[in-house]
Amino acid sequence: MKVFKFGGASVKDAIGVKNILKVLKNEGFENTLIVISAMGKMTNAFEKIVTAYCQKSKDLNQHINYTKNYHLTITTELFNSKKHLIDTEIETLFGHLSGFLITNKSTDYNYIYDQIVGFGELLSTKIISFYLNENNIPNNWIDVRDFIKTDANYRDAKVDWEKTITTIQRLDKNKLFITQGFLGQSSNKNTTTLGREGSDYSAAIFAYCLNAQSLTIWKDVEGVLNADPRYFENTQLLEQISYNEAIEMAFYGASVIHPKTLKPLENKNIPLYVRSFDNLKNVGTTVSKGHYLVPEVSCFILKQQQILVSISAKDFSFMVESNLSDIFKVLHTFKLKVNLIQNSALSFSVCIEDKFNNFTQFLNEISLNYTITYFENVVLYTIRHATENAIKKIEQKGETLLKQSTQGTVQLVIK
Ligand code: ASP
Ligand code: MG
């Protein structure tokens, strides 16, 4: 079996959906499972619904109508007949959303978030499944929540592999399936999400459980490049890279592949193809086994909106194991993601990401015992296979607050 994944950018409008048809006809669609994200920027739009709902804002309905109209505009363009079954499907899904908003009693933001944002994926897959069915690509829509089982850590749920493997392996491998990325289900039957941009990971989970022959991620870029073209000029395509290289790049923030995607593929030696949905003739990038598959060019990766924190003891004592373990405990409690650490005798520096808006609470707690200085909104640059020239290029971008070098990888925190 093959697994395909289409992200939001590939299905942001009717033209995108029609293009999926083209891709499938070109590539073949036998024994394929297709994972699809929410259309365009719909996850952001659903996040606005979450915020409006939690803040009891009068704009709630306006946000709901925006997402509804977005999908209806696409279906009007895709389906000719005036009254189409897909309209009923869309009404039903928005009915479920309203039902949740009315009956919900919980005040847990993360739980509410997952119950709401998942509608983006449910809508996109329904629409695309209908469209392909009508255009001679018979397929089966499946609800991913029946297959990917997780814990109840909302917004960052962890996969229960045992249950997930058992349910996915029940799928008939001779069919074409369409399902949602990003979502899962906890044991108490609530919707969970795997973290923003998690659909690549969903696709890798299916590839792993199905022992797929390959996973192809269809993108609006040519493949994995040596730098993000939004921030760098003269980028180059990396045609072949190893899992290790890809994992390192994704870990350091290369947004082309979600970092969790690689492990399941590597574990079963399933090749990953990253290809352009616009240029089907192009080869794209192959990620596979082999330490010789390293790029010959420097790769630049950046993580924005970082906080660089310097922590030292109030009584001038050394920063050693006991206080470091204290600090890590507090970082962990507030779900702060650590992207870089550096230690000296009297101060410990850490570059972190505050995905869950807990930094103030962290500061309050840590300041009880330590002296803190910090810079918000800094950028962490990572250069793999760094050269002197490559480092200079980054140092020109601003003031270097911290620099660290390990085995050809250089990291700089720039203000
Ligand atoms: N739709 C989700 C998001 O935008 C998941 C994904 O696109 O991978 O984060
Ligand atoms: Mg998306």
Side-chain angles (χ1 to χ4, degrees):
M1 237 184 152
K2 293 182 299 198
V3 178
F4 283 174
K5 182 260 172 174
F6 291 92
S10 65
V11 292
K12 66 176 191 297
D13 50 23
I15 296 171
V17 177
K18 288 179 185 168
N19 189 52
I20 292 196
L21 195 72
K22 214 164 101 192
V23 174
L24 295 181
K25 285 195 171 145
N26 194 65
E27 300 290 318
F29 46 84
E30 268 90 58
N31 318 337
T32 305
L33 183 136
I34 307 177
V35 172
I36 307 175
S37 314
M39 293 174 146
K41 301 267 179 244
M42 276 299 107
T43 305
N44 295 1
F46 277 99
E47 282 182 344
K48 290 198 175 130
I49 298 180
V50 178
T51 311
Y53 175 71
C54 291
Q55 294 176 347
K56 301 195 169 46
S57 156
K58 59 174 183 1
D59 298 338
L60 176 62
N61 279 331
Q62 194 186 317
H63 290 302
I64 297 174
N65 287 336
Y66 173 73
T67 57
K68 194 167 174 182
N69 290 334
Y70 188 97
H71 292 97
L72 290 176
T73 306
I74 293 175
T75 52
T76 312
E77 223 179 304
L78 289 175
F79 304 98
N80 294 323
S81 60
K82 277 233 147 2
K83 209 64 216 124
H84 196 279
L85 264 180
I86 189 67
D87 297 336
T88 325
E89 293 281 349
I90 292 176
E91 284 304 331
T92 307
L93 285 169
F94 275 94
H96 290 162
L97 172 62
S98 303
F100 169 76
L101 298 178
I102 294 164
T103 55
N104 170 57
K105 298 242 163 15
S106 168
T107 52
D108 174 355
Y109 176 85
N110 294 338
Y111 161 79
I112 296 170
Y113 180 101
D114 280 3
Q115 308 321 300
I116 295 176
V117 293
F119 280 100
E121 269 70 15
L122 294 169
L123 286 156
S124 69
T125 50
K126 276 281 178 200
I127 294 169
I128 293 159
S129 170
F130 265 74
Y131 180 75
L132 295 179
N133 269 327
E134 275 194 13
N135 287 279
N136 303 320
I137 301 195
N139 64 84
N140 302 272
W141 181 93
I142 53 174
D143 189 327
V144 75
R145 295 169 295 185
D146 295 334
F147 297 92
I148 294 186
K149 303 295 177 182
T150 70
D151 65 8
N153 186 25
Y154 299 106
R155 288 182 72 203
D156 198 15
K158 221 168 112 200
V159 174
D160 179 334
W161 282 98
E162 210 172 301
K163 284 190 195 148
T164 301
I165 289 169
T166 319
T167 47
I168 291 181
Q169 285 185 343
R170 279 192 212 122
L171 281 169
D172 179 351
K173 292 195 176 170
N174 299 309
K175 284 186 171 164
L176 171 65
F177 292 103
I178 307 253
T179 197
Q180 307 79 45
F182 187 42
L183 312 181
Q185 190 183 59
S186 62
S187 56
N188 47 6
K189 302 265 185 245
N190 292 325
T191 305
T192 55
T193 64
L194 305 174
R196 283 302 306 263
E197 308 302 331
S199 296
D200 290 355
Y201 182 42
S202 311
I205 296 168
F206 275 104
Y208 179 94
C209 298
L210 292 165
N211 294 313
Q213 71 195 59
S214 63
L215 164 60
T216 307
I217 298 184
W218 296 95
K219 305 272 310 180
D220 55 356
V221 289
E222 287 308 313
V224 180
L225 306 176
N226 74 320
D228 188 330
R230 286 174 298 176
Y231 309 105
F232 291 89
E233 287 167 1
N234 307 323
T235 54
Q236 293 180 42
L237 176 73
L238 309 173
E239 279 189 22
Q240 297 217 326
I241 51 173
S242 63
Y243 292 114
N244 282 18
E245 186 64 33
I247 285 175
E248 295 284 356
M249 286 178 65
F251 177 77
Y252 289 125
S255 58
V256 63
I257 310 166
H258 189 278
K260 286 185 183 166
T261 310
L262 279 316
K263 182 179 181 289
L265 302 178
E266 191 275 344
N267 286 177
K268 287 214 176 161
N269 208 359
I270 299 168
L272 166 66
Y273 305 119
V274 183
R275 291 181 56 191
S276 156
F277 56 72
D278 285 325
N279 296 312
L280 300 180
K281 287 203 177 70
N282 293 11
V283 289
T285 298
T286 300
V287 182
S288 57
K289 205 170 179 165
H291 59 269
Y292 50 89
L293 296 172
V294 294
E296 284 146 19
V297 291
S298 295
C299 297
F300 299 89
I301 307 139
L302 84 175
K303 279 191 197 245
Q304 291 174 305
Q305 289 184 338
Q306 305 290 300
I307 311 172
L308 180 67
V309 192
S310 255
I311 305 169
S312 44
K314 285 187 171 162
D315 60 359
F316 207 68
S317 58
F318 290 137
M319 294 302 280
V320 289
E321 292 75 10
S322 58
N323 18 34
L324 293 181
S325 93
D326 265 4
I327 294 167
F328 273 104
K329 231 178 254 156
V330 186
L331 285 164
H332 181 69
T333 307
F334 293 107
K335 296 193 191 173
L336 292 161
K337 190 162 178 290
V338 174
N339 289 323
L340 176 77
I341 54 178
Q342 188 157 294
N343 199 26
S344 72
L346 295 175
S347 132
F348 172 69
S349 296
V350 57
C351 188
I352 53 179
E353 216 166 288
D354 183 21
K355 191 173 153 193
F356 295 92
N357 258 329
N358 291 334
F359 185 61
T360 318
Q361 276 171 282
F362 165 78
L363 273 186
N364 291 342
E365 171 111 14
I366 204 87
S367 315
L368 296 175
N369 298 317
Y370 298 93
T371 306
I372 312 292
T373 54
Y374 63 92
F375 295 92
E376 282 180 293
N377 218 352
V378 295
V379 184
L380 170 62
Y381 287 92
T382 303
I383 314 169
R384 306 232 342 122
H385 319 289
T387 59
E388 279 311 313
N389 262 344
I391 297 168
K392 263 197 209 118
K393 206 161 138 183
I394 299 302
E395 284 175 333
Q396 280 160 7
K397 292 192 181 274
E399 185 192 339
T400 305
L401 298 175
L402 191 153
K403 185 173 168 183
Q404 199 175 73
S405 169
T406 18
Q407 294 174 3
T409 297
V410 174
Q411 293 191 288
L412 301 111
V413 178
I414 306 273
K415 190 172 82 149

